[in-house]
Amino acid sequence: MIASDRLQEARELCERQRHVEPGGSFYDFWLQRLDGKTGARDQAGDFRFQPRWRELRAEFDRNPYQVGPKRAPEGDLREALDEVKRAIPFKGDIYLPTERIPEPEQLTGLQRVLDLVTPENRRASKARFDALRRHMGRTGKRRVFVIGNGPSLKRTDLRLLRGEITIGFNGIFLHEDFVPTIYVVEDHLVAEDRVREIHAYDCPVKIFPSYLGYVIEPQPNTIYLNHVSRISYPVDADFTVDAGDLSYTGGTVTYTGLQIAASLGFEEIILVGVDASYSVHNVDRSTAYGTGVLTSKSDDVNHFDPRYFGSGYRWHDPNVNVMLQAYRKARDYASKAGIRIHNATIGGELEVFPRVDFHQLFPDHVAYPRCGIIDFTSVNKLSATGAIKKSLFAGWSRASLLHVHSDKIANICAFQSVENDQYPVGTNEESIWPALRAAIEFAPQVLYVRPTLDRPQMTAFQLLLPLLLDRPYVIHYMDDWIEKARLTSAPEVARFQKSLMSSFFSCGSAVLSICDKMSKMLVDRYGTLESRTHAIHNFIRSEAPARRTATQSAGVRTIRYFGGIEPDMGLKTLVSVARQVDSINERKALPFELRFEITTSQYSIKRCGAQFESFKSTSVGEQVPDEGEYYQALANSDLNLICYNFDDRTLAYVSHSMANKLPDLIASGAPFLAIGHPGVATTELLAEHGFPFMLDREDFDLEPMLREIFFPSPEILEKYVAATGLLKQEFGEEKNRFAFHRILRRVAEDDSQSWRSLDGALPLLTRFLATLDPQPAYLGDLRCLVSLAAMDRAFIDAVLARVRGHGLRWSVRGMHKELIRKIKSPADLQQAPQGLQAEAVAFLICGLGHERYEDVCGIVRGWLSTDAVNGAEIERGQESCYA
């Protein structure tokens, strides 16, 4: 149905069958593709309508396979089956049907194999392969990517391979973002277990050994190879560069892919996702087919998708040594033939071929699109949000990052490597122009924004940048501060903030949350699209951040808490912990003394630190400036804490939030205890995973839990180990950092221009700015930016072009002299040609609004503030904004 473009009919079939047939995952899989919820088709392009593939298909049609209709035998079925098995040239059980294929189908299938190996059909295969080789030559491509299916693919953004020639294997159809150019299967277990997916898989070319013809029927884009056992067995492997005539097995389908790649004439073959390592457990073993056969009893851990060889699927017992021997033969043969084979797998154990960095194979702007990080906390600040940004952007090219932050409420700063590397020191004091100029000159391809309640002027700047730069953005919502604003801010201000954020959410190319619970809230409350809403949070890094080194005194146990101590987060619970620690020590209830150490920000200490002064066993200190010291302190704790209050106000604020430090606690190796309302997302997640160390009542008793933690029973210890094991999967890099990188790359290519609809929020933003208290010194300049954002796109682009030409085609000093001659007042600028107006605005931006140029800057500000400039544009959007 798909191949003949009967897409609606295919969709209806999947809808019906997914509810009827027990193996519904097949229909769920294709329904997801047909509904457009995955990016695979976008990744490959709709090749059926590309001229070059139509031409190749036409060549295939001129060389059809001659396979006649098959009939059941008149005599004994078993005798007929034995006779046809003797007749086919492939000997060995691994080339024959298994008992899962009914005998009548085995017979008709093997009769088809006999047809496929006739001289006529071998000539058809040769002609088709030669046509494919000629087609590959016409593409002008000199390299081909051979894609394995190892777990490293979870760390690999295969969208980068768009436009490349690729070869994929077996269960690659499970990948949501990738369709290979050439699809290969050589294993009869895979062919039998996945035949429906294989037939339905929509890709340019499919290549199979002719011995699989008993289960995989010919299709218009199929090539059957004369694929045989290695003739040098058992002492060596065999390799060919004429796979259209003859090819050899080698213990792994990847080896077949290497022969195909070499035979198609490519000069460079790049391996991706070939991990060459396996973990075999929880399987049933058999030698029924002449070799070791495994049947999985649980999810697959050896491939990129747990469904690959998931429960019930069969696979051959992997022999890595045989694979490596075959790879060595491929390396040596290719070297003599002048073919380069490189390994671009991210990680893995394959060291036969020289390694290359996967991302270095592509231009920087493709592998690492320029990203502007617009957030009030600096990525270098040792805070929860600073740490998560640093972790998420780890591995991204630093040359492709611009950081814009507002650690101090009076300033908006920008830097790439170190502070003040974009403009002279001090020019950003109470000014937005230096940060704006840096952003324009940097020309980001994508913006990452995190609006917050604490920096409303930064929220305004974040909303204006996508409009001014005309770039897509990712918005990251880490805690439900809109709900906090409803409880703590003036009603009008809270309404403005909620409306602005609604616009932010609806116009973003991707909306990131901190957990699945928050994602659901964003979809339900703000109508964000499920396909654009993703949970991305902090994660456990692949390298251990710290190891336990301190030798604790036998008479002391140290309990540590790292984080905020705000009244609407965990203050009341922390005070209760401090009080109970003192009581336990006074009563000598435990065979050691407890020390409770709270490490928090200087701001929190000033606000709430005094509440702990009366507790003898508790100390409050300022957060350590070094990340390594933080991880070491976690590792050397006897117990770490997560704490939330139990009141309704706290629950309203943090119920959808995930503790950013939770992955750090899991990775530290030290035990941790979670105290807080059971409705908080963090405590919910821990409970779902069976985590044993939790106190979820406001009248919690700390002492019994401490006994359980410090003197655990075998059963409790087993629960703790099992729960933390599951949590390590939840907080893995694959689901977070690498997924985040894929999202950034995808958003950088978004051409929907959805962000332009933010102009409907400009009237609301104007009113919101009037509510700021205290008002920043640069409030007037923010209003100027609102006016600029409301102008015609062509005018804004003219301004951006002039800013980017500063220092190359013009100078601030020279432009100052020219402008001071031409304009004396805002009215003069209003009557000036648009080109001069654009030059004046560019001068304001590039001159950083410096007081030295105030004579001209004041005129430009005055012009941008006039009703003649912005009134009509802003008012036009007001009705739709409040609709």
Side-chain angles (χ1 to χ4, degrees), residues 14-30:
C14 290
E15 277 284 11
R16 290 194 304 271
Q17 292 299 115
R18 67 190 290 236
H19 300 297
V20 174
E21 196 163 317
S25 63
F26 169 81
Y27 294 101
D28 287 336
F29 171 80
W30 284 106

Side-chain angles (χ1 to χ4, degrees), residues 137-214:
R138 287 194 293 268
T139 66
K141 303 287 186 181
R142 295 291 178 262
R143 67 183 185 182
V144 61
F145 288 81
V146 174
I147 313 301
N149 295 311
S152 64
L153 281 198
K154 292 185 284 187
R155 299 173 169 226
T156 309
D157 190 352
L158 295 185
R159 287 173 56 87
L160 291 171
L161 297 178
R162 283 175 307 166
E164 302 283 353
I165 304 299
T166 56
I167 301 176
F169 311 103
N170 295 346
I172 192 64
F173 52 74
L174 294 169
H175 202 289
E176 296 183 348
D177 291 328
F178 175 73
V179 173
T181 315
I182 299 168
Y183 173 63
V184 183
V185 176
E186 72 164 17
D187 189 300
H188 70 147
L189 300 182
V190 175
E192 289 184 9
D193 290 355
R194 295 289 196 177
V195 62
R196 290 185 300 181
E197 290 96 331
I198 291 169
H199 281 147
Y201 196 35
D202 199 11
C203 64
V205 178
K206 299 179 181 180
I207 298 181
F208 312 112
S210 53
Y211 60 74
L212 290 184
Y214 77 85

Side-chain angles (χ1 to χ4, degrees), residues 418-430:
V418 295
E419 295 285 354
N420 296 302
D421 61 5
Q422 301 293 301
Y423 41 76
V425 176
T427 54
N428 65 324
E429 295 291 334
E430 299 187 340

Side-chain angles (χ1 to χ4, degrees), residues 349-556:
E349 301 297 328
L350 180 61
E351 303 299 344
V352 174
F353 308 101
R355 282 189 177 264
V356 294
D357 187 295
F358 177 72
H359 295 102
Q360 295 299 319
L361 297 171
F362 311 97
D364 276 355
H365 73 278
V366 174
Y368 302 110
R370 295 182 306 280
C371 179
I373 305 172
I374 322 297
D375 186 2
F376 96 84
T377 56
S378 168
V379 72
N380 292 330
K381 187 173 183 180
L382 190 59
S383 63
T385 53
I388 189 173
K389 290 198 299 291
K390 191 169 186 178
S391 295
L392 288 176
F393 282 99
W396 201 267
S397 171
R398 294 186 68 180
S400 295
L401 293 176
L402 177 74
H403 308 273
V404 179
H405 66 92
S406 181
D407 283 341
K408 295 180 180 179
I409 196 166
N411 301 340
I412 295 181
C413 310
F415 72 94
Q416 274 199 272
S417 301
V418 295
E419 295 285 354
N420 296 302
D421 61 5
Q422 301 293 301
Y423 41 76
V425 176
T427 54
N428 65 324
E429 295 291 334
E430 299 187 340
S431 175
I432 61 171
W433 304 115
L436 179 62
R437 188 184 78 178
I440 294 172
E441 292 178 338
F442 179 71
Q445 296 166 262
V446 59
L447 298 169
Y448 168 92
V449 300
R450 190 182 71 91
T452 66
L453 180 63
D454 300 308
R455 293 290 189 278
Q457 69 276 16
M458 189 63 167
T459 300
F461 193 68
Q462 289 166 325
L463 188 143
L464 290 166
L465 272 187
L467 284 172
L468 293 170
L469 301 179
D470 198 26
R471 296 310 308 152
Y473 64 90
V474 172
I475 181 170
H476 207 163
Y477 194 61
M478 293 190 186
D479 52 48
D480 196 6
W481 61 264
I482 301 175
E483 182 63 16
K484 181 177 180 178
R486 184 184 69 81
L487 298 171
T488 60
S489 302
E492 183 184 28
V493 174
R495 285 196 300 272
F496 282 155
Q497 289 171 324
K498 184 173 182 178
S499 296
L500 285 173
M501 288 302 296
S502 294
S503 296
F504 241 144
F505 290 138
S506 65
C507 299
S509 298
V511 178
L512 308 184
S513 72
I514 200 69
C515 62
D516 291 334
K517 184 179 181 181
M518 181 174 283
S519 290
K520 185 177 186 306
M521 179 273 289
L522 291 171
V523 171
D524 294 343
R525 188 188 298 175
Y526 297 99
T528 64
L529 297 176
E530 284 189 55
S531 59
R532 290 188 178 188
T533 308
H534 314 273
I536 298 291
H537 43 61
N538 198 9
F539 56 89
I540 298 170
R541 295 181 294 177
S542 53
E543 70 278 6
R547 293 186 177 183
R548 192 173 182 86
T549 59
T551 302
Q552 301 292 338
S553 167
V556 176

Side-chain angles (χ1 to χ4, degrees), residues 603-858:
Y603 172 79
S604 292
I605 293 173
K606 288 180 180 178
R607 287 194 64 194
C608 308
Q611 300 213 28
F612 298 92
E613 291 178 354
S614 62
F615 300 114
K616 297 177 182 178
S617 305
T618 298
S619 61
V620 180
E622 190 174 347
Q623 61 192 22
V624 293
D626 181 74
E627 188 179 35
E629 289 183 34
Y630 160 70
Y631 287 123
Q632 198 63 63
L634 285 178
N636 287 334
S637 298
D638 292 294
L639 178 65
N640 293 305
L641 293 185
I642 294 174
C643 288
Y644 294 104
N645 295 335
F646 292 84
D647 60 282
D648 291 341
R649 174 168 287 195
T650 297
L651 185 62
Y653 178 36
V654 301
S655 65
H656 298 98
S657 297
M658 182 67 62
N660 276 322
K661 63 177 174 285
L662 179 56
D664 300 337
L665 301 186
I666 297 168
S668 72
F672 67 94
L673 166 65
I675 308 174
H677 195 288
V680 176
T682 303
T683 54
E684 284 183 354
L685 180 72
L686 291 172
E688 286 170 10
H689 287 77
F691 188 73
F693 301 150
M694 295 178 59
L695 295 169
D696 59 4
R697 293 172 56 91
E698 189 168 10
D699 58 348
F700 66 90
D701 188 352
L702 186 61
E703 182 187 330
M705 178 56 70
L706 293 182
R707 290 184 183 278
E708 198 166 273
I709 293 170
F710 292 132
F711 309 104
S713 66
E715 294 77 16
I716 288 295
L717 195 57
E718 184 179 352
K719 285 183 179 180
Y720 181 83
V721 171
T724 52
L726 292 172
L727 289 166
K728 285 177 181 178
Q729 296 177 29
E730 173 67 27
F731 293 103
E733 280 186 294
E734 293 87 356
K735 293 182 66 174
N736 295 285
R737 178 162 73 96
F738 293 103
F740 175 68
H741 289 187
R742 285 193 293 271
I743 291 168
L744 285 183
R745 293 188 185 103
R746 189 182 72 243
V747 170
E749 297 168 353
D750 184 6
D751 58 1
S752 68
Q753 299 183 346
S754 61
W755 57 91
R756 290 189 177 182
S757 297
L758 282 173
D759 61 0
L762 292 179
L764 185 63
L765 181 58
T766 301
R767 296 188 176 199
F768 174 66
L769 290 176
T771 69
L772 297 187
D773 184 23
Q775 293 190 342
Y778 49 81
L779 179 61
D781 289 338
L782 279 174
R783 288 177 172 143
C784 288
L785 287 189
V786 174
S787 301
L788 180 60
M791 291 183 183
D792 180 78
R793 183 70 246 167
F795 179 82
I796 300 174
D797 287 342
V799 172
L800 300 186
R802 283 166 171 79
V803 171
R804 289 168 184 151
H806 165 250
L808 303 173
R809 294 187 293 272
W810 64 279
S811 68
V812 168
R813 192 171 188 179
M815 183 61 69
H816 179 248
K817 291 179 180 179
E818 183 177 340
L819 291 175
I820 208 166
R821 283 190 301 103
K822 294 181 178 180
I823 56 173
K824 305 298 182 183
S825 68
D828 290 343
L829 195 53
Q830 177 64 28
Q831 300 302 318
Q834 276 202 348
L836 183 60
Q837 292 173 343
E839 288 176 351
V841 176
F843 172 81
L844 173 63
I845 296 169
C846 293
L848 308 182
H850 199 281
E851 58 183 14
R852 174 181 293 184
Y853 307 115
E854 182 56 30
D855 49 359
V856 173
C857 290

Side-chain angles (χ1 to χ4, degrees), residues 270-287:
I270 302 169
L271 296 170
V272 176
V274 184
D275 292 43
S277 63
Y278 295 86
S279 173
V280 178
H281 66 279
N282 202 22
V283 297
D284 288 327
R285 292 180 176 271
S286 168
T287 56

